[in-house]
């Protein structure tokens, strides 16, 4: 079975302007910025900034979940190991 390769359309043919970058890029930058403790490079009240914040928030809440899980495991080891 052969895979058909789709042709990628240009920005102009998709009706995108200079600042309409794929928002997945800003989301990924927000994810990595949380771990590097960086602030947003985008102006507030722009779609890029909102996507960056969304990525940052996902990384933050994943970290909170991981920390709470580790603390609960640590507490249960103290209680049951004794």
């Amino acid at each position: 079975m052969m895979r058909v390769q789709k042709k990628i359309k240009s920005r102009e043919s998709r009706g995108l302007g200079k600042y309409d970058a794929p928002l997945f890029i800003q989301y990924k930058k927000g994810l990595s910025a949380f771990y590097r403790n960086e602030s947003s490079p985008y102006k507030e009240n722009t779609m890029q900034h909102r996507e960056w914040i969304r990525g940052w928030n996902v990384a933050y809440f994943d970290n909170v979940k991981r920390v709470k899980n580790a603390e609960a495991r640590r507490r249960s080891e103290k209680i049951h190991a004794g």
Side-chain angles (χ1 to χ4, degrees), residues 5 12 20 25 35 40 43 46 52-53 58 67 70 76 79:
Q5 194 171 22
E12 288 119 18
D20 294 323
I25 293 170
Y35 295 106
S40 177
K43 291 182 182 180
T46 61
W52 185 92
I53 287 292
V58 166
V67 167
S76 68
I79 293 170

Side-chain angles (χ1 to χ4, degrees), residues 4-53:
V4 178
Q5 194 171 22
K6 294 182 181 181
K7 184 177 178 182
I8 299 173
K9 294 181 180 180
S10 69
R11 284 181 167 288
E12 288 119 18
S13 66
R14 290 183 286 161
L16 297 175
K18 179 179 177 181
Y19 297 107
D20 294 323
L23 297 176
F24 185 70
I25 293 170
Q26 286 82 7
Y27 174 79
K28 291 295 249 181
K29 283 184 180 182
L31 280 172
S32 62
F34 172 77
Y35 295 106
R36 288 191 247 133
N37 197 22
E38 295 176 350
S39 60
S40 177
Y42 306 106
K43 291 182 182 180
E44 288 191 27
N45 297 325
T46 61
M47 184 58 87
Q48 288 94 350
H49 179 72
R50 286 190 289 271
E51 284 298 308
W52 185 92
I53 287 292

